[in-house]
Structure formats: structure tokens, C-alpha cells
Amino acid sequence: ELQLAESGGGLVKPGGSLRLSCAASGFSFSLYTMNWVRQAPGRGLEWVSSISNVGTFIHYADSLKGRFTVSRDNAKNSLYLDMNSLRAEDTAVYYCAREMAELDAFDIWGQGTVVTISS
Amino acid sequence: QSALTQPPSASGSLGRSVTISCTGTSGDIGGYNLVSWYQQHSGKAPRLLIYEVTKRPSGVPDRFSASKSGNTASLTVSGLQPEDEADYFCSSYAGSSGVVFGGGTKLTVL
């Protein structure tokens, strides 16, 4: 079964840091571009970042202004998101998502991990 | 504020059809044939319904169809079923801005 499973979310104070992980199974992880997408409470979806299959190409949403870093370890079938200088507006469910065939469409999603930024 | 504009709500009667619009610009929807649509039930992860403007992944019923004209994309749900009640999001490739999403439309089946 094709699966993505996020972990690492939690409650963090403003200005703090957090590392999210996403474990992939059931498909050849190293062949796919992977993405992070977040959803603030009661809000819409917001694309966060993408990383190509071997990490050559990395892109971020302009709004993140260098605070987040995406990486992957194909040997471990894992995707990561390092988040620094966290703000209240970063509070959201963070999803990892597989991109299908470089079409900017996300065909496999994890269940999400909740990140809450609050003092 | 989301980059793509969707109506916040839509409704349709059981068995009828409803169309949801998604308006962008020439820098996203109008410039690329890379529009996608997602369905999200409450508390669940999104599900891909449509990619490349009109294509359905395997397993998505043909009751879901989509199109694009200029800077506006549309999703039509035909033969509305109770399980179609959900939030629907459009997205588009937007060049150097990556992927942009709409704010979502809450579909109610009457």
C-alpha cells in the first residue's frame, strides 16, 4: 500500500524550532519529487516546499523567507522539514505529499502532523 | 488571502450537478495546463481528483470532470451523492512561485 506518515509535530514557543519527518512506503521513494503542504486551522491549503527526487532542485514558498529547510534521505525513504524562527502563523497541519510525474499534482498524502506555535 | 479565488460555498441537490470555479491569473491558471483539484473530507487529508486540468487519476469516478478557460478553471460534480459533501480545493503551477491553491469551496449536498 502506498503510504506517507508524518511525525514530529508538537507545541513550540514562538522563535523555536522543529523538525518534521515523513516516512514513505509502498513505492520507489527515490523516483519522486516530494512536497510539504500546510493547512492552518479552518483555512485552505498552502504549498510550503518541494524537493526533487535526488534533492537537486529545491523550492520554497516566498512567504517562508528562508526559515524552513527541506531535505530527504532516499536510503531511509524519508523526507524532512526543518523549521526555525517559528511564528504563531506557522500553526497548521503539515502534510507531506508525493508529486506525480512532475505535474505539480499531489497524488499521495500523509495523514498530517499538527504544529502549534504558542507561548 | 489565497492566490486563487474560489467561492466559499456551493450546494446542489442529490443527483444533480454543481460547478465550482477557480480564478487565477495569466501567471498561474492562464499560463500553464497544470491545474489540479482536491477533495477533502473533514479531518482527513486531501485527495487528488483532477490533474493537468482535465485528467482523473484511477479510482476517481467520472462524475468528476473539469475544464479551463483563460484564467478560470472549473470543477463539475455530476450526479451528486451524499459522500460528495466535502471541501474542494483547486491548485495551479505558478512558475517561480511554485504551486498556489485556492481558498477552498465547501460543497453541501441538499
Side-chain angles (χ1 to χ4, degrees):
Chain A
E1 183 185 1
L2 309 178
Q3 275 194 327
L4 295 170
E6 302 91 339
S7 60
L11 174 63
V12 177
K13 288 182 169 54
S17 299
L18 204 59
R19 172 175 249 212
L20 305 183
S21 300
C22 171
S25 59
F27 65 96
S28 298
F29 179 73
S30 63
L31 297 181
Y32 290 89
T33 291
M34 297 297 295
N35 289 257
W36 288 98
V37 177
R38 68 183 181 182
Q39 186 171 31
R43 305 291 296 274
L45 301 171
E46 181 186 16
W47 174 77
V48 170
S49 179
S50 68
I51 181 168
S52 60
N53 63 329
V54 293
T56 306
F57 301 104
I58 290 175
H59 302 280
Y60 300 98
D62 294 338
S63 61
L64 298 180
K65 295 184 180 177
R67 297 185 295 120
F68 289 11
T69 302
V70 65
S71 61
R72 64 191 296 162
D73 185 337
N74 286 344
K76 295 182 178 179
N77 290 335
S78 293
L79 174 72
Y80 306 101
L81 186 67
D82 290 296
M83 304 186 295
N84 298 307
S85 303
L86 285 162
R87 307 166 179 168
E89 54 265 35
D90 295 318
T91 293
V93 176
Y94 284 73
Y95 295 100
C96 63
R98 188 181 82 168
E99 182 172 328
M100 67 183 300
E102 312 303 324
L103 295 174
D104 295 286
F106 310 135
D107 62 344
I108 306 296
W109 295 68
Q111 82 287 353
T113 188
V114 178
V115 172
T116 303
I117 312 303
S118 175
S119 55
Chain B
Q1 188 165 343
S2 301
L4 306 179
T5 300
Q6 297 181 237
S9 63
S11 62
S13 300
L14 201 62
R16 303 301 291 266
S17 297
V18 65
T19 297
I20 298 169
S21 64
C22 172
T23 302
T25 68
S26 58
D28 39 65
I29 291 177
Y32 309 94
N33 287 322
L34 292 173
V35 177
S36 301
W37 288 91
Y38 300 88
Q39 177 191 60
Q40 186 180 35
H41 288 107
S42 181
K44 302 293 188 182
R47 171 198 181 196
L48 179 65
L49 292 178
I50 298 287
Y51 66 99
E52 283 190 283
V53 181
T54 62
K55 298 177 181 178
R56 283 187 310 276
S58 61
V60 174
D62 59 7
R63 302 187 295 104
F64 294 91
S65 62
S67 62
K68 186 187 89 165
S69 177
N71 297 336
T72 298
S74 299
L75 173 73
T76 297
V77 187
S78 305
L80 280 167
Q81 300 296 311
E83 60 266 30
D84 297 334
E85 191 158 290
D87 293 325
Y88 291 82
F89 295 90
C90 59
S91 74
S92 175
Y93 177 66
S96 61
S97 296
V99 173
V100 291
F101 283 93
T105 298
K106 184 176 184 63
L107 175 61
T108 300
V109 179
L110 304 172

